């Protein structure tokens, strides 16, 4: 009896009195939990950063971090384990981890849209069923081998079901991030993989509930039957109660208004209560939380508000603790000898073979090309958090011993890690680069027929910039002649590691466009509604699209989309937004980096739009448009592109265009050194003169176009004075890198390289105008913006 008493961990108080009173903080529960959380976050984030070049999802880093902290590596040091993860702290650690898991599974349930599951196509359903059934059967087969070798004496029925579930799982959230990293999220293969994984997820939870019901310590089959029936009763009761209650709550939550704290707290309380009920039944508390998440209606702003309130704390702080709790149970050292390593190879091969072959067979039956079918098989083989949940429950229920648990964890880690590199090697979408490079109109300035269709790819980050952007597009449509204007509105959505990123996946169709709400839902996406209204009122062909990518490579989506849609110009929002007092403030500094990369790599002309309230805060109808637009012309290809865009705007009946040309004063010609800005200065000057000649002719017959020539003696003073004369204009169009001696003289004052010297001057605090500015760079083939090619590391944080 004395031996048993000494084996019990010492009682640990919650808080210490401090080091000055002789207490060691890590001997107390709260300070030790804080230390554990900090170590876990630092280690997993560092590993995630190191694995980023390999395009691995963060779950891989978290699993590896958990294993490193456990007895497999750092935990081999008894001093480290006793100091940081002593046995008497594991109860607190696992309680926090399971609480985080409870709410994470609630968020995972919120990600699953039951309506989209009901509408799953035959292909996705067939792939999902094949991806479950064959691995499940092979898992049962491998369980007999394991029971005969390293898992003797375990409950046979529970063990074979746990093995079947563990091998048949596909990690839905992890798969979404891998598809986004590989730019496959909006492709046919990505759509099939996501739909099949969603079905697979739901089936896996049902099988897991069955496995848990059968894994109780009581050997009586009647007890397992009661657990299973009670679980079914809970699900039926939840289906009857939860949706009506939360529909009533959703009707009282309106778009754009804050959600009442009472509703949020009540929802979290319901999650905890349902978790308690399912735990009391004997299934697991996370199952109740998952059911609540699935049953909450996804319409309206309420579901999104729930995710925003919960996900950062859960996913960033508490969930990594679950991987550590799992890693502390994983001892790779238990895999010893040829037999154990042979079983690891067998289990890994069985898991891969079942998923890949099952998916491949059904895919080929549906006449999916071989290359895509193989890639789909590897994608469906992705494991993740759900796999670890299954394994940890099996370990806690004594269904999996230490050696089997370690083998299964390494199998899950290996299959997830290999997904990205193998899919990149097997499936490279047909390169259309050569075809895309051959399209004709890459600029607004055209030498031949100006009646050809102008294709604009406009990008935006959120709904706040939509009115001004639409007003700019309305002014750009010209008159209804020729093929008119075609607008591709690309909504840039950052795919972070937050679970709510998966909600964006539900809004993306096969062609990358968000769902158009054709049923008149009051809670429809206001972005889509705005562009719908613009299309109907202005009769402009508008095609909304969505780009979902990490911030580090979202510029690739912009450039690829511009090439695929044969855009003549890409219009990007400036990374600063105007405040109430008129000053510009940075909202997201990383968007500046995106703009710079697009300027370097774009396959067409690029415009950066500095919005200062063009047209006010609402969309202006076509008949109410009345803008004064000014083109500041110094010379060079970028200025000619800005002028071409301005002439297009001048065709609109509500636009008056002033071309303000700066020319060198005759007295100053000998004092200013001429510089070949584009190495073909004579050709450019001739081209500029030809353009000016055409403008003079046009201004003589068209009242909406006016040419003003400004003689310049002192560049800094005279240019600012000319801008002040035009300060009441609504919009300035300027070239990013204007040519000529006058522009060269003011380049020294350029504070924002992506806007160039004139753009920087117009948005500076000393600028005499508060008008909106569109800075344009003309496409000129290779090396579009050499001055920005290496600017990524030089960005400031202003």
């Amino acid at each position: 009896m004395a031996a048993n008493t000494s084996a019990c961990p010492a009682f640990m108080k919650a808080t210490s009195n401090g080091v000055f009173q002789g207490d060691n903080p890590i001997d107390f529960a709260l300070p030790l939990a804080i230390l554990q959380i900090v170590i876990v976050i630092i280690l997993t984030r560092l590993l995630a950063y190191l694995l980023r070049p390999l395009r691995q999802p963060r779950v891989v880093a978290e699993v590896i971090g958990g294993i490193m902290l456990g007895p497999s590596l750092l935990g081999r040091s008894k001093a480290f384990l006793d100091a940081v993860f002593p046995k008497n702290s594991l109860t607190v650690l696992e309680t926090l981890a399971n609480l985080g898991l409870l709410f994470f599974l609630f968020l995972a349930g919120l990600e699953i849209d039951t309506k989209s599951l009901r509408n799953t196509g035959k292909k996705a359903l067939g792939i999902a069923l094949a991806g479950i059934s064959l691995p499940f059967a092979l898992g049962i087969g491998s369980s007999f081998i394991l029971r005969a070798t390293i898992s003797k004496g375990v409950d046979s029925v529970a063990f074979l079901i746990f093995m079947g579930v563990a091998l048949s799982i596909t990690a839905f959230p992890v798969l979404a991030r891998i598809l986004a990293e590989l730019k496959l999220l909006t492709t046919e293969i990505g759509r099939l993989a996501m739909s099949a994984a969603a079905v697979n997820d739901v089936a896996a939870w049902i099988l897991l509930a069955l496995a848990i019901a059968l894994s109780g310590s009581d050997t009586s089959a009647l007890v397992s039957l009661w657990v299973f029936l009670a679980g079914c009763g809970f699900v039926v009761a939840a289906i009857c109660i939860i949706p009506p209650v939360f529909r009533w709550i959703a009707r009282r939550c309106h778009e754009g208004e804050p959600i009442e704290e009472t509703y949020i707290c009540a929802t979290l309380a319901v999650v905890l209560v349902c978790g308690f009920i399912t735990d009391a039944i004997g299934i697991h508390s996370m199952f109740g939380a998952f059911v609540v998440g699935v049953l909450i209606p996804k319409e309206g702003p309420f579901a999104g508000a729930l995710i925003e309130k919960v996900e950062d704390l859960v996913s960033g702080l508490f969930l990594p603790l679950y991987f550590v709790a799992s890693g502390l149970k994983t001892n790779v050292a238990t895999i010893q000898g040829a037999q154990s390593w042979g079983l690891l190879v067998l289990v890994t091969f069985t898991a891969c073979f079942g998923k890949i072959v099952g998916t491949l067979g059904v895919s080929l039956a549906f006449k999916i090309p071989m290359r895509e079918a193989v890639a789909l098989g590897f994608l469906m083989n992705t494991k993740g958090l759900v796999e670890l949940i299954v394994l940890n429950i099996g370990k806690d229920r004594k269904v999996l011993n230490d050696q089997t648990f370690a083998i299964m964890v390494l199998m899950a880690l290996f299959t997830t890690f290999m997904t990205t590199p193998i899919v990149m090697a097997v499936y490279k979408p047909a390169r259309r680069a050569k075809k895309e490079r051959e399209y004709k109109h890459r600029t607004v300035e055209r030498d031949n027929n100006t009646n050809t269709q102008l294709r604009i790819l406009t990008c935006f980050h959120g709904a706040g910039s939509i009115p001004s952007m639409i007003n700019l597009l309305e002014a750009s449509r010209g008159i209804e002649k020729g093929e008119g204007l075609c607008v591709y509105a690309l909504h840039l959505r950052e795919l972070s590691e937050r679970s709510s990123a998966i909600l964006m996946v539900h809004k993306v169709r096969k062609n990358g466009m968000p769902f158009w709400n054709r049923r008149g839902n009051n809670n429809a996406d206001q972005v889509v509604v705005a562009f719908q209204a613009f299309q109907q009122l202005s009769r402009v062909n508008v095609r909304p699209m969505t780009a979902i990518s990490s911030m580090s490579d979202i510029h690739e989506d912009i450039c690829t989309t511009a090439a695929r849609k044969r855009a003549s110009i890409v219009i990007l929002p400036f990374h600063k937004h105007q405040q109430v007092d008129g000053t510009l403030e940075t909202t997201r500094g990383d968007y500046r980096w995106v703009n710079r990369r697009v300027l370097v790599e774009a396959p067409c002309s690029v415009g950066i739009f500095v919005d200062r309230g063009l047209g006010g805060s609402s969309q202006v109808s076509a008949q109410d448009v009345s803008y004064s637009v000014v083109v500041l012309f110094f010379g060079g290809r970028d200025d000619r592109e800005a002028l071409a865009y301005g002439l297009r705007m001048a065709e609109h009946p509500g636009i008056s265009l002033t071309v303000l040309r700066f020319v060198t004063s005759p007295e100053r010609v000998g004092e200013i050194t001429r510089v070949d800005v584009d190495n073909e200065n004579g050709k450019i000057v001739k081209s500029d003169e030809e353009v000016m000649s055409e403008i003079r002719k046009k201004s003589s017959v068209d009242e909406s176009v006016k040419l003003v020539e400004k003689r310049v003696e002192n560049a800094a003073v005279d240019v600012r004075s000319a801008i002040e004369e035009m300060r009441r204009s609504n919009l300035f169009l300027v070239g990013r890198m204007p040519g000529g001696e006058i522009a060269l003289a003011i380049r020294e004052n350029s504070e924002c390289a992506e806007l160039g010297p004139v753009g920087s001057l117009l948005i500076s605090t000393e600028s005499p105008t508060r008008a909106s500015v569109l800075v344009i760079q003309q496409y000129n083939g290779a090396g579009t913006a050499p001055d920005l090619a290496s600017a990524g590391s030089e960005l400031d944080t202003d």
Side-chain angles (χ1 to χ4, degrees):
M1 178 67 91
N4 290 338
T5 304
S6 62
C8 296
F11 175 74
M12 183 177 282
K13 292 183 179 180
T15 58
S16 72
N17 294 320
V19 293
F20 294 108
Q21 297 192 35
D23 284 349
N24 184 353
I26 63 174
D27 290 336
F28 296 83
L30 180 60
L32 182 58
I34 293 172
L35 177 64
Q36 291 170 344
I37 292 172
V38 170
I39 292 174
V40 169
I41 291 175
I42 292 175
L43 179 61
T44 54
R45 295 288 175 162
L46 177 62
L47 289 172
Y49 177 78
L50 295 176
L51 292 173
R52 187 179 300 170
L54 300 177
R55 294 188 168 186
Q56 292 296 325
R58 198 172 77 191
V59 65
V60 172
E62 290 172 333
V63 173
I64 294 175
I67 294 175
M68 288 175 62
L69 290 172
S72 301
L73 187 63
L74 296 176
R76 296 177 71 88
S77 168
K78 192 174 185 302
F80 172 81
L81 208 58
D82 291 343
V84 182
F85 296 102
K87 289 185 178 180
N88 54 357
S89 73
L90 296 185
T91 301
V92 175
L93 178 66
E94 293 195 3
T95 300
L96 290 174
N98 280 279
L99 189 63
L101 179 68
L102 182 89
F103 284 108
F104 181 82
L105 266 296
F106 166 65
L107 295 175
L110 280 175
E111 306 286 0
I112 294 178
D113 188 353
T114 54
K115 291 183 179 178
S116 64
L117 285 180
R118 289 196 295 268
N119 296 329
T120 301
K122 292 181 180 179
K123 285 184 183 180
L125 186 60
I127 290 170
L129 293 177
I132 295 172
S133 55
L134 183 57
F136 191 86
L138 292 176
I140 291 176
S142 62
S143 68
F144 289 104
I145 300 175
L146 292 172
R147 286 189 68 242
T149 52
I150 62 173
S151 297
K152 296 177 180 179
V154 299
D155 181 67
S156 59
V157 177
F159 183 69
L160 65 88
I161 293 181
F162 266 101
M163 286 297 298
V165 173
L167 267 63
S168 60
I169 282 173
T170 297
F172 179 78
V174 178
L175 177 62
R177 284 164 179 83
I178 290 176
L179 288 170
E181 286 288 340
L182 299 178
K183 306 297 182 186
L184 298 176
L185 201 57
T186 60
T187 62
E188 176 69 13
I189 186 175
R191 185 182 65 83
L192 280 174
M194 290 300 295
S195 299
V199 175
N200 192 305
D201 240 19
V202 174
W205 286 113
I206 296 172
L207 292 172
L208 179 59
L210 177 62
I212 294 172
L214 295 173
S215 63
S217 58
D218 198 307
T219 57
S220 172
L222 187 61
V223 173
S224 297
L225 178 63
W226 276 114
V227 170
F228 182 72
L229 291 177
C232 293
F234 166 77
V235 172
V236 172
I239 292 174
C240 296
I241 298 172
I242 291 177
V245 171
F246 282 96
R247 284 196 196 97
W248 179 84
I249 292 176
R251 284 195 296 268
R252 281 154 180 77
C253 301
H254 304 288
E255 195 77 45
E257 297 181 5
I259 307 298
E260 287 189 26
E261 184 184 357
T262 304
Y263 297 148
I264 301 292
C265 293
T267 304
L268 299 182
V270 169
V271 172
L272 293 173
V273 168
C274 290
F276 176 83
I277 292 173
T278 51
D279 188 81
I281 290 172
I283 297 179
H284 196 286
S285 57
M286 64 170 187
F287 187 76
F290 180 76
V291 170
V292 174
V294 171
L295 294 179
I296 287 181
K298 309 304 185 292
E299 298 83 5
F302 183 64
L306 279 173
I307 292 176
E308 289 181 4
K309 297 286 186 182
V310 178
E311 67 177 346
D312 285 333
L313 184 65
V314 171
S315 301
L317 196 63
F318 289 114
L319 194 61
L321 297 180
Y322 191 81
F323 293 97
V324 174
S326 177
L328 292 173
K329 302 174 189 175
T330 306
N331 190 357
V332 178
T334 59
I335 307 176
Q336 296 178 343
Q339 184 189 68
S340 295
W341 287 105
L343 290 172
L344 172 61
V345 173
L346 173 66
V347 170
T348 305
F349 174 78
T350 304
C352 297
F353 182 84
K355 276 288 185 183
I356 296 168
V357 172
T359 303
L360 180 64
V362 174
S363 300
L364 293 177
F366 281 111
K367 298 181 179 180
I368 296 175
M370 173 63 77
R371 192 164 54 97
E372 296 184 12
V374 173
L376 201 54
F378 280 99
L379 287 169
M380 294 299 293
N381 196 37
T382 303
K383 308 296 182 185
L385 176 63
V386 182
E387 174 85 2
L388 285 183
I389 294 171
V390 173
L391 299 179
N392 275 281
I393 293 175
K395 181 79 163 56
D396 294 338
R397 301 264 173 153
K398 310 298 183 185
V399 176
L400 304 177
N401 60 24
D402 291 346
Q403 194 171 356
T404 307
F405 181 79
I407 288 175
M408 297 301 291
V409 169
L410 290 183
M411 178 273 293
L413 181 62
F414 176 77
T415 53
T416 304
F417 190 91
M418 75 178 193
T419 300
T420 300
I422 291 182
V423 172
M424 289 177 67
V426 172
Y427 180 73
K428 294 179 180 178
R431 295 183 180 273
R432 290 179 281 184
K434 183 177 180 181
K435 182 179 178 182
E436 289 167 354
R437 289 193 189 104
E438 293 174 353
Y439 77 90
K440 187 175 182 182
H441 297 299
R442 295 174 172 273
T443 64
V444 180
E445 183 186 26
R446 296 169 186 178
D447 296 330
N448 49 13
N449 184 13
T450 58
N451 292 339
T452 54
Q453 186 183 62
L454 176 63
R455 294 189 173 198
I456 297 177
L457 174 65
T458 179
C459 305
F460 54 94
H461 312 138
S465 60
I466 295 299
S468 294
M469 189 67 77
I470 289 181
N471 291 336
L472 176 66
L473 295 173
E474 167 60 34
S476 306
R477 70 181 177 90
I479 59 175
E480 297 173 6
K481 69 175 184 178
E483 299 179 34
L485 176 67
C486 179
V487 175
Y488 296 94
L490 187 63
H491 194 177
L492 305 179
R493 305 290 295 271
E494 180 184 6
L495 185 77
S496 64
E497 292 291 344
R498 300 168 67 179
S499 61
S500 65
I502 309 304
L503 284 179
M504 292 186 281
V505 176
H506 292 308
K507 296 183 178 181
V508 177
R509 297 195 301 186
K510 163 177 153 182
N511 59 355
M513 295 169 59
F515 286 114
W516 284 78
N517 191 326
R518 302 187 182 278
R519 299 184 180 179
N521 191 336
N522 292 330
N523 294 317
D525 188 339
Q526 55 184 325
V527 172
V528 175
V529 170
F531 279 106
Q532 275 182 322
F534 173 57
Q535 177 171 267
Q536 293 170 358
L537 294 175
S538 297
R539 286 176 286 184
V540 172
N541 189 7
V542 182
R543 300 179 185 178
M545 307 171 69
T546 302
I548 304 175
S549 186
S550 59
M551 192 57 66
S552 61
D553 56 6
I554 201 167
H555 65 280
E556 296 177 6
D557 286 350
I558 299 172
C559 297
T560 302
T561 304
R564 186 177 298 127
K565 301 304 180 182
R566 291 172 165 78
S568 298
I569 185 170
V570 175
I571 298 181
L572 304 166
F574 191 47
H575 69 281
K576 294 184 179 182
H577 295 275
Q578 183 171 251
Q579 304 302 302
V580 178
D581 60 357
T583 59
L584 293 172
E585 183 181 45
T586 301
T587 51
R588 285 287 300 270
D590 40 9
Y591 279 117
R592 183 183 187 187
W593 185 89
V594 173
N595 290 352
R596 289 192 170 196
R597 297 308 304 166
V598 174
L599 284 167
V600 173
E601 301 178 16
C604 59
S605 296
V606 179
I608 297 181
F609 181 49
V610 183
D611 177 23
R612 284 174 158 176
L614 181 64
S617 59
S618 60
Q619 180 181 340
V620 179
S621 60
Q623 61 269 22
D624 294 331
V625 170
S626 179
Y627 299 147
S628 173
V629 179
V630 177
V631 176
L632 301 182
F633 191 90
F634 296 85
R637 62 165 61 95
D638 288 355
D639 278 21
R640 293 198 305 274
E641 186 76 350
L643 179 58
Y645 198 98
L647 291 174
R648 173 87 188 195
M649 300 179 84
E651 296 175 0
H652 194 291
I655 302 293
S656 62
L657 176 68
T658 301
V659 181
L660 182 56
R661 186 193 185 193
F662 296 93
V663 294
T664 306
S665 175
E667 295 80 7
R668 304 285 293 175
V669 170
E671 302 177 19
I672 299 179
T673 302
R674 181 178 294 275
V675 177
D676 278 351
V677 178
D678 299 308
N679 298 323
E680 296 180 2
N681 199 57
K683 180 180 177 181
I684 288 179
V685 169
K686 180 181 178 182
S687 180
D688 290 344
E689 291 300 332
E690 289 177 351
V691 170
M692 286 298 106
S693 178
E694 294 174 3
I695 294 297
R696 290 188 185 94
K697 293 177 182 178
K698 190 173 183 66
S699 63
S700 63
V701 296
D702 188 349
E703 294 181 355
S704 64
V705 178
K706 180 182 179 181
L707 175 62
V708 177
E709 292 188 326
K710 179 76 172 179
R711 296 284 178 182
V712 175
E713 294 185 3
N714 185 319
V717 175
D718 292 345
V719 171
R720 188 180 297 274
S721 174
I723 293 174
E724 186 171 5
E725 292 176 7
M726 300 291 177
R727 65 182 182 276
R728 297 190 181 277
S729 301
N730 303 102
L731 176 67
F732 281 86
L733 299 178
V734 298
R736 192 181 80 83
M737 296 300 289
E741 299 84 355
I742 302 173
L744 185 65
I746 63 172
R747 282 192 186 185
E748 299 176 359
N749 299 323
S750 179
E751 297 179 0
C752 193
E754 60 268 32
L755 296 185
V758 184
S760 297
L761 179 62
L762 286 168
I763 70 162
S764 66
T765 53
E766 294 81 15
S767 173
T769 180
R770 289 292 180 265
S772 297
V773 181
L774 180 62
V775 180
I776 297 179
Q777 170 185 276
Q778 187 180 66
Y779 174 77
N780 64 352
T784 301
D787 60 311
L788 294 177
S790 59
S793 60
E794 302 172 3
L795 297 183
D796 52 48
T797 57
D798 60 354

